[in-house]
Amino acid sequence: MDAGRTSFRYGLLHWLIFIAVYFLLATISLATRDPWSLSSAVWLPAGLLLGILCIRQPAQWPMWVISAGVMHFSVSLLHDRPVDIALAFALADPLILCPLALIWNSMHRYANDLSYRGETLLLLGSVYLGSAVGGLISDLLLKALGYPIVVSHFVIWSISNATGCLAIAPLFIIHRLNRGRWLTRQQAYTAAWVLPLVAAIFCLPANLLHHALLNHALLYMALTLSLLLAALWPLLPLALYFILLTLLVSLATLYGYGPFAATLSGIRAVEASQLYLLVIISLGLLIATREQQHRTLSQQGQQRLQLLGSLLQARQPTFFCLTPGAESLDWQPHKAIFGIPPRQLANLTLLLAHVHPDDRESLANLLRHPAASAQPVQCCALRLLLPDAAYHQIECRLLAHPQHGISGVLALVTAN
């Protein structure tokens, strides 16, 4: 009973947080609405709802979808949208986002071999396609209601939904890629100078940015710095950065600050800023998942080497080099060879003296006259006299090089 009550309280708390955040994001987004296209330039709540649906089972979707629809309709009315337009957009959102979330859930259930980059490409492709279809649905709904809609409005709606989805949804769906990683000290130092610099670019008064070349340079600088963070940061803080960047660029442009407000006017500046954000977030996600995949493969390689080293530790592998034209041996490591000091095996003659008489000739022939073979690595088995006055089975592998002589490795067959 207590466990069920606790679960209900947590569920209620999550729902209340969802309602509060949805209301806040909807209020910010509706401040950017265009009276001609009847839509906002960016719709951030779409990403919130998509992220929630992607991490929930489809049986739990009705509560979240209905709540989002009611909030969408209510906030639209509070911002003086006509009832029919508010209802049209509130119905269009679930028609777009539910199929996207269903694709994501199905992918994680049935496509376990999909790479991180493949997941990101699927996310980007599905969001782009879903946003285009959503723009078409919104176009048809508003035309059916008698509103004068043109093709450019379809583009605005598509960019608005795509930017909102890609800005918010990755915060929810990258937990498998991130694996709890946060910023290291060096990455935090990077954030300490990159974030204020990016914020300053978009908070500059528009009257200081009338030069077109300066505007372009600042926009490219912000793009470069954002992609640099995408390459260096883990996905979780990067997703938070994308949310803050979207809010910063949207609000600054809306209130007449930054490079976009200096060159464009009104809603056109906000539309250009959303297209800019869409490019940054899309490229950033591709770079971040590629780097994450590279780090994961590198960590797996290090783990395999560690496991292999643990497996070989009992066999005490020892490497040596035989100098060409001479018989001196260079041993690595230099401390001891199966307990024998390196000076006692300093050359080939001393090594052969420790080898069992029946095995000396075959080893000497391999070391002094390496045979030309299709297999570059040659191997042999021998018995070596160790400090316990007993012969031990040793496995020997050799690799000949015309200039550098012969490299070899000795390893115990069984540890005694």
Side-chain angles (χ1 to χ4, degrees):
M1 181 67 69
D2 291 340
R5 187 175 301 173
T6 302
S7 177
F8 172 78
R9 289 176 179 174
Y10 275 114
L12 180 61
L13 178 61
H14 290 164
W15 181 78
L16 291 175
I17 293 175
F18 170 78
I19 293 296
V21 175
Y22 193 100
F23 177 84
L24 177 63
L25 294 177
T27 301
I28 295 174
S29 299
L30 286 174
T32 68
R33 70 184 186 276
D34 178 9
W36 299 106
S37 69
L38 307 174
S39 173
S40 59
V42 57
W43 187 244
L44 296 173
L48 177 64
L49 180 59
L50 177 61
I52 291 292
L53 296 181
C54 285
I55 62 174
R56 300 282 178 175
Q57 296 298 324
Q60 301 173 337
W61 286 5
M63 179 184 71
W64 302 98
V65 172
I66 293 173
S67 300
V70 171
M71 288 297 299
H72 193 160
F73 181 76
S74 303
V75 177
S76 296
L77 293 182
L78 290 175
H79 286 76
D80 300 324
R81 263 184 173 174
V83 174
D84 53 354
I85 294 179
L87 185 60
F89 282 115
L91 292 176
D93 260 8
L95 293 177
I96 305 167
L97 301 178
C98 287
L100 297 182
L102 187 61
I103 292 173
W104 184 264
N105 285 337
S106 299
M107 178 190 66
H108 276 273
R109 181 178 300 177
Y110 301 111
N112 295 326
D113 59 339
L114 198 63
S115 66
Y116 297 157
R117 196 186 318 180
E119 288 186 359
T120 304
L121 290 173
L122 181 61
L123 172 66
L124 294 176
S126 60
V127 167
Y128 293 156
L129 179 60
S131 299
V133 172
L136 180 60
I137 292 174
S138 301
D139 188 308
L140 296 176
L141 284 176
L142 293 180
K143 281 184 177 178
L145 294 173
Y147 288 93
I149 302 302
V150 296
V151 176
S152 62
H153 298 161
F154 160 79
V155 177
I156 295 172
W157 298 329
S158 300
I159 294 176
S160 169
N161 186 81
T163 305
C165 287
L166 295 180
I168 306 292
L171 182 64
F172 294 87
I173 61 180
I174 50 78
H175 58 280
R176 187 175 74 85
L177 304 183
N178 191 70
R179 300 186 185 278
R181 296 178 63 245
W182 192 246
L183 294 178
T184 64
R185 179 175 298 181
Q186 184 177 3
Q187 291 166 345
Y189 290 152
T190 305
W193 66 269
V194 170
L195 296 183
L197 183 56
V198 172
I201 290 174
F202 293 101
C203 292
L204 288 173
N207 56 11
L208 299 179
L209 301 172
H210 289 308
H211 200 288
L213 182 60
L214 176 61
N215 284 346
H216 293 158
L218 291 175
L219 290 176
Y220 279 119
M221 180 185 296
L223 172 64
T224 303
L225 292 175
S226 298
L227 297 184
L228 175 65
L229 294 184
L232 297 177
W233 281 11
L235 284 168
L236 181 57
L238 181 65
L240 292 173
Y241 169 75
F242 285 152
I243 295 174
L244 295 176
L245 182 67
T246 302
L247 293 173
L248 171 67
V249 175
S250 301
L251 294 176
T253 305
L254 179 66
Y255 289 105
Y257 292 91
F260 292 106
T263 55
L264 299 171
S265 59
I267 197 64
R268 297 304 174 191
V270 178
E271 293 170 6
S273 69
Q274 300 313 303
L275 186 58
Y276 177 78
L277 287 170
L278 187 61
V279 172
I280 285 183
I281 296 173
S282 300
L283 292 177
L285 288 176
L286 288 173
I287 292 174
T289 49
R290 182 189 181 281
E291 292 301 316
Q292 179 69 26
Q293 186 172 7
H294 176 74
R295 282 192 291 264
T296 300
L297 293 176
S298 178
Q299 291 172 357
Q300 290 176 351
Q302 292 176 357
Q303 290 173 351
R304 293 191 184 104
L305 287 176
Q306 186 176 358
L307 291 172
L308 185 60
S310 176
L311 180 65
L312 293 176
Q313 186 174 6
R315 301 188 63 185
Q316 303 177 33
T318 303
F319 297 88
F320 66 90
C321 292
L322 180 63
T323 306
E327 293 192 348
S328 60
L329 294 171
D330 180 23
W331 294 94
Q332 295 177 352
H334 301 283
K335 294 181 180 179
I337 301 95
F338 309 123
I340 304 174
R343 64 178 182 276
Q344 296 184 15
L345 300 176
N347 54 52
L348 181 56
T349 302
L350 293 175
L351 173 63
L352 294 175
H354 286 76
V355 175
H356 193 279
D358 295 340
D359 302 328
R360 288 174 187 170
E361 184 176 356
S362 60
L363 178 61
N365 289 334
L366 283 177
L367 291 174
R368 287 173 175 154
H369 309 286
S373 174
Q375 296 295 332
V377 178
Q378 302 180 51
C379 59
C380 67
L382 54 92
R383 287 160 288 181
L384 191 67
L385 183 65
L386 298 187
D388 60 359
Y391 285 100
H392 293 254
Q393 289 288 338
I394 301 293
E395 185 177 357
C396 177
R397 294 184 182 270
L398 305 172
L399 183 62
H401 191 278
Q403 285 79 32
H404 303 294
I406 297 176
S407 298
V409 60
L410 301 179
L412 290 171
V413 174
T414 56
N416 294 323

